[in-house]
Amino acid sequence: MVCLLISNGCVNYHKQLRRWKWPPFNLPEAGEGCEDMMMLVIPDKLWRRVLEIGGLSYKDLCCVSITCWRIHRLSDEDLLWSRILSSDFPPHSSSSSSSKSLYKLRFERDRDKRKVTHQRAVLRKESQIIEHSRKLRDMETRLAQETDRMRATLVELSNFHKVRQASSLALNNVWQREITRGRQKQIVEQCVVPAESRHHALEMELRLCKMLISGLEKACKDEKRRLGLVEQELQPMRYHPLRDQKPLIPGDAQCTGKSKKLKRFHGQGKKITSW
Amino acid sequence: MFRTMSSKKMITLKSLDGQTLEVEEAVAKKSLMIKNMIEDDDVMDDDVEDDDEDHVVHLRKVTHKVLEKAMEYCKRHVDEDENKVVNENELKAWDQDFVVKTDKSTLCNLLLAAYYLNIESLLLLLSKNAFHHKTSEGKKPMEDMRILLECQQ
């Protein structure tokens, strides 16, 4: 037994339903053979009420409007759209055009603005990355220079030591004639101060090189860390769910207009292009 | 008008198929239509001594099964009007359960009944659920809308 609510206009709706022209594209038809259908039984006023208090967002309203012609007609109404228009895009001057088209306008304007802002932010981040990379390269060059200098200094220092050792040996161990020995002593004594200062200078150079190198290495590390941070920040900004994933539905590769609509219906995708 | 004061006054609701259902007055008055009918009756019967404490309200457009469901809802929510302490989360959970347990055709008829009887909160609950119904399989809202409309995809 069918528990049907016999409302006054029920019979009329049967007649009206036959008059509706079903859409050219495949909007679903009401299930045939099913007797207690919401479509037939619920009057327009109630549908309006349900749509009004159902707490629908703009996305939901669009999705709902593609279920069938009658709902499409009912969901297009100004009352519904002006409500979400005033809540989503507040400074709303009343105009003669329909609320839905106004909403669409504001929505698209807002979307474009956000897109531009996003692009600007991405570019800014990318330029930061370039800046960091450049600094890093400079530092690494300097590091290489200092390392070379250090190596050269070390070589000089070791040579210096060898020479000094050799000369002291020569002075102390090798037997020489007194005159030659005296003259050599003079030379060495004359050279003592410059030799010592030379040694000192070399050692200072070495110490300086080492200091610079350690400073540069630390700076490099910091810069690398900063670069890494910025790159990490950029990654989520660049991510786009629709572009970056492999198609889940096999037929996705050959996307026609029709399957695009179905996809939107299924996934409530980001872009609303059917209004 | 003479009326004995009883703490729980009962109202008899008579549905389309002739069956009756007894509910407390406060519960029945959640439906604004019933409330108005009772109050109009009271005003009209001003000069008649009313021995019969049970008002009988004829609801010619609601079937018994649907009426039962509607009154079940009203009974659960009657505390809200009397400003008693209500546990919000519990009520919400009960509401969800109430909707999930009801089959589609009854839900559809219940919606119509809520509209006809003017039970605001039930209407709100059902409307919201038409679009954001969470089935056990977790289907998306629009799938539920389609199912609800019994449309073929």
Side-chain angles (χ1 to χ4, degrees), chain B residues 108-124:
Chain B
C108 162
N109 291 320
L110 195 59
L111 180 64
L112 278 159
Y115 184 66
Y116 168 69
L117 293 172
N118 207 342
I119 308 171
E120 187 68 32
S121 54
L122 181 59
L123 200 61
L124 190 68

Side-chain angles (χ1 to χ4, degrees), chain A residues 112-124:
Chain A
D112 293 337
K113 211 188 292 174
R114 267 191 272 136
K115 209 190 279 181
V116 167
T117 319
H118 179 91
Q119 280 173 345
R120 217 181 290 145
V122 168
L123 282 170
R124 213 178 295 139

Side-chain angles (χ1 to χ4, degrees), chain B residues 12-21 62 64-65 67-68:
Chain B
T12 310
L13 303 171
K14 199 162 186 188
S15 60
L16 172 78
D17 33 9
Q19 294 188 48
T20 57
L21 180 68
V62 194
H64 184 72
K65 182 177 173 194
L67 188 61
E68 268 186 342

Side-chain angles (χ1 to χ4, degrees), chain A residues 91-261:
Chain A
H92 157 56
S93 57
S94 56
S95 71
S96 57
S97 57
S98 77
S99 290
K100 187 174 180 188
S101 59
L102 221 79
Y103 189 94
K104 181 180 172 190
L105 206 71
R106 295 292 294 269
F107 176 82
E108 288 178 344
R109 210 182 291 165
D110 184 69
R111 179 189 63 191
D112 293 337
K113 211 188 292 174
R114 267 191 272 136
K115 209 190 279 181
V116 167
T117 319
H118 179 91
Q119 280 173 345
R120 217 181 290 145
V122 168
L123 282 170
R124 213 178 295 139
K125 274 277 174 301
E126 287 179 343
S127 71
Q128 277 180 358
I129 285 178
I130 291 172
E131 191 57 35
H132 282 300
S133 307
R134 192 185 57 81
K135 272 195 203 153
L136 202 62
R137 267 200 314 275
D138 283 345
M139 276 192 260
E140 285 175 345
T141 319
R142 279 180 60 200
L143 194 64
Q145 283 174 348
E146 286 303 323
T147 317
D148 285 340
R149 203 171 294 158
M150 186 177 83
R151 262 191 233 122
T153 314
L154 278 168
V155 165
E156 259 200 69
L157 204 58
S158 78
N159 284 345
F160 183 85
H161 281 144
K162 274 188 213 152
V163 165
R164 207 162 42 161
Q165 231 179 11
S167 66
S168 71
L169 267 172
L171 274 176
N172 296 330
N173 296 336
V174 178
W175 181 84
Q176 281 179 356
R177 285 167 68 175
E178 202 55 46
I179 311 159
T180 339
R181 199 195 164 85
R183 220 178 289 151
Q184 273 184 351
K185 213 175 176 180
Q186 265 182 9
I187 298 168
V188 169
E189 277 170 4
Q190 275 173 13
C191 289
V192 157
V193 173
E196 276 308 308
S197 70
R198 180 89 186 110
H199 183 251
H200 190 67
L202 281 174
E203 292 220 314
M204 287 305 291
E205 179 92 21
L206 190 66
R207 220 176 292 158
L208 184 68
C209 280
K210 284 187 179 161
M211 219 170 59
L212 280 172
I213 284 173
S214 76
L216 279 169
E217 281 180 344
K218 183 170 174 296
C220 270
K221 214 166 59 162
D222 278 344
E223 200 65 33
K224 269 189 194 151
R225 188 180 50 87
R226 263 180 244 134
L227 179 68
L229 274 173
V230 177
E231 280 178 339
Q232 254 183 16
E233 282 171 16
L234 182 63
Q235 227 185 26
M237 286 169 74
R238 274 215 184 116
Y239 174 72
H240 192 303
L242 292 179
R243 279 205 302 259
D244 295 352
Q245 286 186 9
K246 294 208 177 78
L248 299 169
I249 311 164
D252 245 7
Q254 333 104 16
C255 225
T256 59
K258 176 178 165 182
S259 65
K260 259 192 193 153
K261 283 202 174 94

Side-chain angles (χ1 to χ4, degrees), chain B residues 3-100:
Chain B
R3 204 206 319 242
T4 51
M5 286 295 141
S6 63
S7 50
K8 296 279 162 93
K9 183 163 173 173
M10 301 302 278
I11 305 282
T12 310
L13 303 171
K14 199 162 186 188
S15 60
L16 172 78
D17 33 9
Q19 294 188 48
T20 57
L21 180 68
E22 261 202 11
V23 288
E24 296 168 22
E25 186 176 2
V27 171
K29 281 195 171 179
K30 272 204 83 77
S31 148
L32 290 180
M33 194 194 97
I34 296 179
K35 180 169 184 246
N36 290 335
M37 278 175 83
I38 295 173
E39 285 171 1
D40 286 347
D41 274 350
D42 289 346
V43 168
M44 302 269 271
D45 298 336
D46 223 347
D47 49 347
V48 175
E49 224 178 73
D50 207 46
D51 288 77
D52 194 317
E53 287 181 16
D54 279 3
H55 280 103
V56 180
V57 178
H58 294 273
L59 301 168
R60 269 172 261 277
K61 295 195 177 182
V62 194
T63 59
H64 184 72
K65 182 177 173 194
V66 176
L67 188 61
E68 268 186 342
K69 268 274 164 185
M71 286 302 122
E72 187 189 332
Y73 177 87
C74 290
K75 205 182 286 183
R76 187 69 178 81
H77 283 257
V78 73
D79 291 337
E80 289 167 356
D81 296 339
E82 297 172 16
N83 293 325
K84 284 193 192 145
V85 172
V86 264
N87 187 335
E88 290 267 338
N89 294 332
E90 245 181 55
L91 259 183
K92 267 193 195 151
W94 188 90
D95 283 346
Q96 274 302 108
D97 201 46
F98 178 74
V99 173
V100 167

Side-chain angles (χ1 to χ4, degrees), chain A residues 3 5 8 28-29 31 34 36 38-39 41-43 45-47 49 53 56 60 63 66 265-266, chain B residues 61 105 108-109 111-112 115 120 123-124 127 131-132 140 142-143 145-146 148-153:
Chain A
C3 297
L5 219 63
N8 287 332
E29 308 217 346
C34 183
D36 56 345
M38 283 182 87
M39 288 313 304
V41 161
I42 294 185
K45 322 187 262 193
L46 181 52
W47 267 125
R49 194 75 196 285
I53 65 181
L56 296 167
D60 293 334
C63 286
I66 59 172
F265 169 79
H266 278 300
Chain B
K61 295 195 177 182
S105 64
C108 162
N109 291 320
L111 180 64
L112 278 159
Y115 184 66
E120 187 68 32
L123 200 61
L124 190 68
S127 305
F131 306 114
H132 302 288
K140 296 176 205 118
M142 287 308 111
E143 295 269 357
M145 179 70 173
R146 284 251 165 130
L148 212 57
L149 294 173
E150 312 266 70
C151 292
Q152 283 162 15
Q153 206 156 355

